[in-house]
């Protein structure tokens, strides 16, 4: 008879679960689909990818490398992100504790007096206690060990913990993406600073040339070979260019302060090497194949992990439709007076109970959360696709930009060379009274503008190099893993039955250690 009762109860539980499952609404799940072309440029297939180059090997300016190291270590946004990562890591431990039994200790004290003309009061009145009547005010003292445990039948809690793991890994990729952008921002500002220094030097050279021309015009005025108008026009031109010096110096101050902000420190002079800027050539970058963006771009990897977390969250929300089973147990001492509390076995008390809870009526909140989980999964899939397309477009734009800037720079160089030569020609013609002073003045002005444009184009070339490096997913890679990491990772890999990659960086090794640790705990 006992076996029949157990079988009947099991059948009731199974049927109830099936009935509840039939009431679960159907929701959509989107599979991400963003196919990439085989190459960035038709007919050009590169396998080498510059993104895998660490920043210390990519940038060859020692002053810039020092700034980048300070920024990555001290930037406030990076440090804020590190705390978010710590929170995500702690969330894993919190959710792990939810599906493990909780054991605690508790003590309590209380008392009550029941009415005499009640069933309980009447019983106490006529029930002697060791030859004595029940006390009027009956105490209740207890000291016990208790445990609560929700049996994770439908893997709701374990899936929720895995969601926390994926969100933690996504936050780590978010940090890498932040580092990539930080490196690019510091490099952009640094090259802008070099360009401003060259703008200032070029302007000062032009002022010296115009001051010499002004002296020449003044001498010609003494011999009545020109007019006072020429002198005044040259004086106005010199004054205008001298006023521009202060504008450039202010721009330099602003850029220096911007770099200091990125470095997480108060304003101070920025050490830099401005000489030779115009003779430098940006590095030639190898773009690799588009599919490598999926491995190198932290934002794509972050979106992929968030998509996986969103898919698991659907399972977590779905499990809320099924019954939950929990077990509560306690063992300890209980008595109506403290002096009897630890009398054994008279005061020894124990309790155990199982509880099955299933939602039957008014499940709108559960349905809404289930549908929201589906909507968030579809949203995450679109965001993943968008991040892939955005990465490809960024790289394609920078490839085209670098090619156009190279041709632009070559033509502007020819323009500057021709204008520099024309200044000497114009001066000779002016001295021999074969041209007007305005021709000399306009030639000098055109030369100054052309040189400024050339410096700006050189800056844009370096900016395009940095942007392509960022678009490929470079800049966040750090030093190779330490010997301690290598030893620990080797032991974890062996225990998990996996082959260890010897070429991981510090960041990648730390992430792999986290992954293997989680895997081994779950196994």
């Amino acid at each position: 008879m006992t076996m029949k009762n157990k079988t009947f109860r099991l059948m009731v539980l199974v049927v109830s679960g099936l009935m509840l499952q039939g009431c679960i609404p159907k929701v959509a799940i989107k599979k991400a689909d963003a196919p990439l072309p085989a190459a960035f440029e038709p007919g050009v297939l590169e396998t080498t990818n510059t993104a895998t180059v660490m920043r210390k090997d990519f940038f060859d300016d020692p002053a810039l490398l020092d700034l980048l190291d300070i920024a990555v270590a001290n930037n406030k946004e990076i440090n804020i992100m590190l705390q978010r990562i710590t929170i995500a890591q702690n969330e894993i431990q919190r959710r792990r504790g939810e599906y493990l039994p909780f054991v605690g200790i508790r003590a309590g004290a209380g008392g009550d007096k029941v009415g005499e003309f009640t069933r309980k009061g009447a019983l106490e009145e006529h029930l002697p206690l060791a030859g004595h009547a029940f006390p009027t005010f009956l105490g209740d003292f207890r000291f016990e060990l208790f445990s609560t445990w929700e049996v994770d039948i439908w893997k709701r809690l374990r899936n929720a913990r895995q969601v926390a793991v994926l969100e933690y890994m996504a936050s780590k990729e978010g940090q890498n993406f932040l580092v990539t952008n930080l490196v690019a921002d510091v490099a952009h500002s640094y090259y802008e600073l070099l360009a401003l220094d060259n703008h200032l030097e070029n302007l000062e050279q032009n002022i010296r040339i115009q001051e010499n021309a002004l002296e020449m015009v003044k001498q010609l005025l003494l011999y009545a070979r020109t007019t006072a108008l020429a002198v005044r026009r040259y004086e106005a031109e010199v004054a205008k260019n001298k006023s521009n010096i202060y504008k450039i110096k202010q721009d330099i101050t602003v850029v220096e302060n911007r770099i200091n902000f990125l470095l997480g420190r108060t304003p101070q002079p920025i050490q830099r090497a401005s000489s030779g800027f115009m003779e430098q050539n940006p590095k030639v970058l190898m773009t690799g194949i588009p599919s490598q963006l999926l491995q190198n771009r932290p934002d794509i990897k972050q979106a992929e992990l968030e998509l996986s977390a969103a898919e698991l969250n659907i399972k977590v929300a779905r499990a809320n439709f099924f019954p939950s089973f929990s077990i509560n147990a306690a063992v300890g001492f209980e008595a109506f007076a403290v002096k009897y509390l630890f009398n054994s076995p008279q005061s020894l008390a124990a309790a155990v109970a199982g509880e099955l809870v299933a939602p039957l009526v008014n499940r709108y909140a559960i349905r809404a959360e289930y549908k929201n989980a589906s909507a968030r999964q579809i949203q995450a899939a679109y965001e993943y696709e968008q991040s892939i397309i955005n990465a490809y477009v960024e790289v394609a734009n920078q490839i085209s930009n670098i090619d156009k800037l190279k041709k632009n720079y070559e033509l502007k160089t020819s323009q500057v060379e021709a204008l520099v030569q024309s200044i000497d020609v114009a001066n000779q013609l002016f001295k021999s009274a074969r041209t007007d002073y305005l021709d000399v003045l306009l030639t000098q002005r055109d030369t100054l503008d052309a040189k400024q444009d050339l410096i700006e184009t050189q800056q844009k070339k370096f900016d395009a190099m940095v942007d392509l490096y960022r678009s490929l997913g470079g800049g966040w890679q750090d030093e190779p893993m330490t010997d301690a990491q290598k030893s620990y990772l080797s032991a974890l890999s062996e225990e998990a039955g996996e082959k260890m990659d010897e070429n991981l960086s510090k960041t990648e090794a730390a992430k792999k250690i986290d992954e293997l640790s989680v895997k081994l705990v779950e196994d």
Side-chain angles (χ1 to χ4, degrees), residues 297-332:
R297 290 268 304 213
D299 57 328
I300 293 180
K301 292 191 284 186
Q302 181 182 14
E304 182 181 12
L305 290 166
E306 289 173 347
L307 174 59
S308 300
E311 291 173 352
L312 266 181
N313 266 326
I314 293 179
K315 295 182 180 180
V316 173
R318 190 172 187 272
N320 290 327
F321 287 96
F322 300 109
S324 63
F325 180 66
S326 60
I327 299 174
N328 300 313
V331 60

Side-chain angles (χ1 to χ4, degrees), residues 98-378:
E98 288 182 349
Y99 66 80
L100 296 177
F102 177 80
V103 179
I105 189 170
R106 63 188 171 196
D112 64 343
K113 177 188 180 300
V114 297
E116 184 177 344
F117 296 108
T118 64
R119 181 178 183 181
K120 188 176 179 182
L123 287 173
E124 290 180 358
E125 180 68 20
H126 298 90
L127 183 65
L129 178 66
H132 302 282
F134 266 78
T136 304
F137 191 82
L138 189 65
D140 183 15
F141 301 92
R142 66 181 62 198
F143 181 82
E144 62 185 4
L145 192 69
F146 72 96
S147 174
T148 60
W149 181 33
E150 180 179 344
V151 184
D152 194 21
I153 301 174
W154 317 109
K155 293 186 177 182
R156 179 180 67 86
L157 300 176
R158 279 171 287 180
N159 284 336
R161 180 182 180 275
Q162 187 60 30
V163 168
V165 172
L166 292 170
E167 289 174 346
Y168 164 71
M169 294 166 61
S171 65
K172 294 283 287 185
E173 295 299 342
Q175 179 199 6
N176 293 337
F177 186 57
L178 191 59
V179 171
T180 294
N181 286 310
L182 177 64
V183 167
D185 290 342
V186 173
H188 278 312
S189 297
Y190 181 79
Y191 289 124
E192 183 180 356
L193 199 55
L194 299 188
L196 286 171
D197 289 342
N198 279 265
H199 278 304
L200 183 60
E201 181 182 359
N202 179 49
L203 186 58
E204 289 172 343
Q205 289 177 354
N206 190 74
I207 288 173
R208 287 194 291 270
I209 292 173
Q210 289 181 339
E211 286 177 337
N212 291 333
L214 176 59
E215 291 301 320
M216 178 187 68
V217 171
K218 286 180 178 179
Q219 291 297 322
L220 293 175
L221 180 62
L222 293 176
Y223 296 99
R225 293 182 56 187
T226 188
T227 63
L229 179 60
V231 175
R232 296 294 175 263
R233 290 295 297 270
Y234 267 99
E235 288 176 343
E237 191 70 14
V238 170
K240 183 192 76 172
N241 288 331
K242 283 185 176 180
S243 68
N244 286 336
I245 287 179
Y246 295 100
K247 179 181 180 301
I248 294 177
K249 287 184 176 180
Q250 174 60 23
D251 291 340
I252 290 174
T253 300
V254 170
V255 176
E256 282 187 322
N257 290 342
R258 185 198 311 153
I259 293 176
N260 283 309
F261 174 77
L262 293 172
L263 269 56
R265 66 189 189 188
T266 55
Q268 55 188 276
I270 298 297
Q271 299 298 321
R272 55 190 182 272
S274 301
S275 60
F277 173 68
M278 296 304 294
E279 289 73 34
Q280 295 180 30
N281 287 317
K283 286 193 173 183
V284 177
L285 278 71
M286 307 298 289
T287 58
I289 56 178
S291 60
Q292 290 175 339
L293 291 173
L294 306 180
Q295 287 78 43
N296 296 327
R297 290 268 304 213
D299 57 328
I300 293 180
K301 292 191 284 186
Q302 181 182 14
E304 182 181 12
L305 290 166
E306 289 173 347
L307 174 59
S308 300
E311 291 173 352
L312 266 181
N313 266 326
I314 293 179
K315 295 182 180 180
V316 173
R318 190 172 187 272
N320 290 327
F321 287 96
F322 300 109
S324 63
F325 180 66
S326 60
I327 299 174
N328 300 313
V331 60
F333 297 94
E334 185 177 10
F336 66 85
V338 175
K339 62 182 179 180
Y340 299 125
L341 182 59
F342 295 104
N343 285 6
S344 180
Q346 293 88 345
S347 297
L348 191 64
V352 62
E355 186 178 43
L356 183 67
V357 179
L360 289 176
V361 182
N362 195 2
R363 300 190 298 170
Y364 292 109
I366 299 175
R367 288 194 184 97
E369 181 57 32
Y370 187 44
K371 292 178 180 179
N372 285 342
S374 170
R376 283 190 286 266
Q377 189 275 333
I378 295 173

Side-chain angles (χ1 to χ4, degrees), residues 418-434:
L419 286 171
V420 169
Q421 294 174 3
S422 68
I423 290 178
D424 293 333
V425 174
N427 284 332
Q428 294 299 325
L429 292 174
F430 180 64
K431 289 178 183 178
S432 59
R434 295 174 60 186

Side-chain angles (χ1 to χ4, degrees), residues 352-418:
V352 62
E355 186 178 43
L356 183 67
V357 179
L360 289 176
V361 182
N362 195 2
R363 300 190 298 170
Y364 292 109
I366 299 175
R367 288 194 184 97
E369 181 57 32
Y370 187 44
K371 292 178 180 179
N372 285 342
S374 170
R376 283 190 286 266
Q377 189 275 333
I378 295 173
Q379 177 185 351
Y382 282 123
E383 289 174 348
Y384 176 62
E385 293 174 353
Q386 185 181 43
S387 63
I388 293 175
I389 296 171
N390 178 63
Y392 180 83
V393 170
E394 285 182 1
V395 174
N397 286 343
Q398 293 308 321
I399 291 173
S400 174
N401 188 28
I402 288 174
D403 179 63
K404 303 300 187 297
L405 284 171
K406 181 181 178 181
K407 296 174 180 177
N408 186 4
Y409 186 81
E410 291 173 354
L411 292 173
K412 284 189 178 296
T413 301
S414 300
Q415 177 192 10
V416 169
E417 290 174 353

Side-chain angles (χ1 to χ4, degrees), residues 478-493:
D478 55 11
E479 301 292 329
M481 60 178 162
T482 62
D483 292 337
Q485 281 181 315
K486 188 177 293 187
S487 175
Y488 187 42
L489 184 57
S490 175
L492 287 177
S493 300

